Amino acid sequence: MAKRLLRIFGPLILAAVLVLAVLVSPVTFGFKHVSADEERQAAVSLSPNVLKGKRIKEAALKDDYVPFFGSSEWSRIDPLHPSVLAEKYNRSYRPFLLGARGTQSLTQFFVMQNMQSGLRNKKAVFVISPQWFVKDGTRKDAFAFYYSQLQTTEWLSHYRHDAIDQYAAKRLLQMPVAQSDHFIYAALQRVAANKPLTDYQRFYLKTKMNMLTQEDQFFSGINLPSQNLNRVNKQAKQLPTQYSYSALDELGGRLGREQTGNNRFRISDKFYNQGLKQELKTGKLKNFQKNLSYTKSPEFADFQLVLDQFARLNTNVLFIIPPVNDQWVKYTGLSRSMLKQFDRKIRYQLQSQGFNNICDLSNDGNVPYFMTDTIHLGWRGWLAVDKQVKPFLTQQQAAPKYKTNDKFYSQRWQQLDPSDLSQYAESTK
């Protein structure tokens, strides 16, 4: 009977042991080569699996791809989108889009943890959305959707005993998804308390990281969506053969006029018709943002994690601050003075630490056909971005001289009224 059972179940047991051995092995098997086509597809896919994984990002960033961090703006693909322009005019770089609806600073900090070789001493582009900086900061459910145990174990494997990683651990502990693995959760508690990891925790994290890395090797490219790459190729056909800013600006104006004909906000008819039109009929959106503020938020400290990570890796970054559609601001009662105060506060956080490459478009919300909807760039807005992105990425830039400051993790900074910035700067010298 024992021999019979062994013949039946032996191969299954052996197969399970072999699979487990592959998954926990520290050796990364090379048979899952990332092809050039796979890189092109992944770079614009906005796939959560690509964002959370490592294999494809790591391979692409060794080539000519540059990380473009952000959130939902990347999905607004029109002929002047950064990926379309780079494709059409055969730029020396290709954007690798990192972010989608719901990704904010805390997610992007962890995204960086398993792509450090692609950031060290290189360049990147980062879009700062004012809408991230609401009272409660990043939504826990949105963070959970993009959470990656692989990124967390990689970060814990090389964390430092400093305010940066202590804050990151404390923030992660505030997210329910951190409890999805008991041993990772316990390790986070020790990091948050500025205690060293135990020998067993280090062993567990290394084993877990190896397993997750192998899973990423096997599965990260499966069912990679291709619709965005198809859209990029289709949109590129509308562009003139030779790059000309004036011709592209004229094209952006024409496309904007054609696609915003049925609404007073000068936003995409498609976006307007998908739900906004009906909501406006109720009158509930009139002045509904009059008390909204982007000046006091835990997001300012989460954003500091991003800045510190860039500084650690000596990454030269161009930051983009987009505007809000001016007609939408007027209708919803969103405070223009508050938006200016947000801009002042975020620029202080950047420039006081040596992050001086800033494409600040915050005053352009009234430019015709600059926005594709209420808060996202499109047409002429993308062209304005390209005017600064192209020279930043194609020309040699001065080496960054960062000098980060832990004061930006404090509650005082998170809740600081921008009108008190001068006094704050003087008191924290």
Side-chain angles (χ1 to χ4, degrees):
M1 179 62 72
K3 290 182 179 179
R4 187 177 303 169
L5 290 174
L6 184 62
R7 282 198 299 270
I8 296 172
F9 294 106
L12 294 176
I13 295 171
L14 179 60
V17 170
L18 289 173
V19 169
L20 182 62
V22 168
L23 289 176
V24 302
S25 170
V27 178
T28 300
F29 294 89
F31 53 82
K32 288 292 287 182
H33 172 71
V34 181
S35 68
D37 287 343
E38 192 175 9
E39 288 179 357
R40 288 184 69 232
Q41 196 168 323
V44 295
S45 69
L46 304 176
S47 165
N49 287 342
V50 173
L51 188 75
K52 294 189 286 187
K54 176 178 182 176
R55 179 181 71 97
I56 297 177
K57 295 201 301 280
E58 189 175 53
L61 296 183
K62 287 179 180 177
D63 294 330
D64 297 326
Y65 289 88
V66 175
F68 278 51
F69 296 93
S71 52
S72 51
E73 63 279 330
W74 299 136
S75 65
R76 274 59 179 179
I77 299 176
D78 65 39
L80 300 171
H81 185 281
S83 297
V84 180
L85 291 174
E87 176 68 25
K88 175 68 176 184
Y89 298 114
N90 196 27
R91 299 272 174 85
S92 59
Y93 66 88
R94 292 289 187 276
F96 199 103
L97 307 179
L98 295 167
R101 182 181 180 183
T103 56
Q104 297 183 198
S105 301
L106 191 61
T107 293
Q108 298 292 16
F109 169 76
F110 284 103
V111 167
M112 294 177 189
Q113 299 311 309
N114 62 4
M115 52 182 288
Q116 294 195 30
S117 62
L119 292 171
R120 193 178 304 279
N121 302 318
K122 296 184 179 180
K123 295 177 181 177
V125 174
F126 194 103
V127 176
I128 306 169
S129 293
Q131 294 76 24
W132 295 352
F133 295 79
V134 291
K135 179 181 177 181
D136 296 323
T138 189
R139 287 178 47 171
K140 292 179 172 61
D141 56 347
F143 179 81
F145 184 76
Y146 296 106
Y147 174 69
S148 165
Q149 286 189 357
L150 173 58
Q151 292 165 2
T152 304
T153 54
E154 291 216 29
W155 165 62
L156 287 170
S157 71
H158 57 241
Y159 90 94
R160 310 178 189 185
H161 294 275
D162 58 19
I164 303 167
D165 288 337
Q166 241 185 305
Y167 176 81
K170 289 176 181 177
R171 278 294 279 147
L172 188 46
L173 286 168
Q174 293 172 3
M175 301 293 168
V177 73
Q179 299 182 42
S180 59
D181 183 295
H182 170 75
F183 296 103
I184 292 178
Y185 186 75
L188 289 171
Q189 289 177 312
R190 291 188 68 84
V191 174
N194 201 25
K195 296 179 180 178
L197 300 179
T198 66
D199 290 341
Y200 176 75
Q201 285 173 333
R202 291 185 183 280
F203 171 78
Y204 176 83
L205 290 169
K206 184 177 181 179
T207 304
K208 182 81 171 181
M209 183 175 66
N210 290 337
M211 182 181 73
L212 294 170
T213 300
Q214 300 299 353
E215 286 183 1
D216 183 57
Q217 284 282 320
F218 281 115
F219 305 120
S220 60
I222 294 177
N223 295 324
L224 200 60
S226 61
Q227 63 267 28
N228 281 351
L229 180 58
N230 294 335
R231 289 170 65 195
V232 167
N233 293 331
K234 181 180 179 180
Q235 298 288 5
K237 294 177 181 178
Q238 299 189 54
L239 297 176
T241 303
Q242 300 297 323
Y243 181 92
S244 163
Y245 182 86
S246 59
L248 291 173
D249 183 62
E250 183 179 344
L251 174 64
R254 178 172 62 80
L255 292 174
R257 285 190 296 274
E258 290 173 356
Q259 296 177 32
T260 62
N262 74 344
N263 66 88
R264 54 179 154 164
F265 300 107
R266 289 179 178 165
I267 61 178
S268 160
D269 293 339
K270 181 180 179 181
F271 175 83
Y272 182 76
N273 293 332
Q274 279 178 344
L276 186 58
K277 184 177 180 179
Q278 289 301 117
E279 287 191 69
L280 287 170
K281 288 181 179 179
T282 68
K284 293 179 180 179
L285 298 182
K286 181 69 173 177
N287 292 324
F288 87 108
Q289 291 185 316
K290 64 181 180 180
N291 296 319
L292 188 62
S293 176
Y294 303 142
T295 62
K296 299 179 180 181
S297 173
E299 188 69 28
F300 285 99
D302 291 351
F303 181 59
Q304 184 60 30
L305 284 174
V306 167
L307 298 185
D308 273 310
Q309 189 62 48
F310 283 139
R312 281 177 169 180
L313 299 172
N314 196 45
T315 310
N316 208 346
V317 192
L318 175 65
F319 292 92
I320 299 169
I321 305 175
V324 180
N325 182 298
D326 195 64
Q327 296 298 315
W328 184 248
V329 168
K330 184 185 298 185
Y331 182 79
T332 63
L334 190 64
S335 169
R336 287 189 175 89
S337 62
M338 179 276 295
L339 291 172
K340 289 184 181 297
Q341 290 286 68
F342 164 78
D343 189 60
R344 184 181 173 210
K345 184 173 180 177
I346 201 69
R347 285 183 68 102
Y348 173 81
Q349 187 169 352
L350 288 166
Q351 293 174 307
S352 66
Q353 300 180 93
F355 295 91
N356 296 315
N357 295 313
I358 304 172
C359 174
D360 190 347
L361 306 174
S362 59
N363 292 320
D364 293 331
N366 62 346
V367 176
Y369 318 119
F370 205 84
M371 314 289 293
T372 192
D373 55 40
T374 56
I375 60 173
H376 295 111
L377 293 164
W379 306 302
R380 284 176 166 161
W382 282 135
L383 190 59
V385 166
D386 188 64
K387 197 172 184 178
Q388 295 198 44
V389 165
K390 180 188 174 186
F392 176 75
L393 293 179
T394 58
Q395 300 172 16
Q396 187 172 355
Q397 304 296 322
K401 297 180 180 178
Y402 301 135
K403 190 176 181 180
T404 57
N405 195 317
D406 293 345
K407 70 182 182 182
F408 293 107
Y409 292 112
S410 69
Q411 279 290 324
R412 182 185 178 192
W413 173 250
Q414 294 173 44
Q415 299 302 314
L416 183 76
D417 191 311
S419 62
D420 297 328
L421 262 176
S422 298
Q423 182 181 352
Y424 175 82
E426 188 64 31
S427 67
T428 55
K429 281 185 178 178

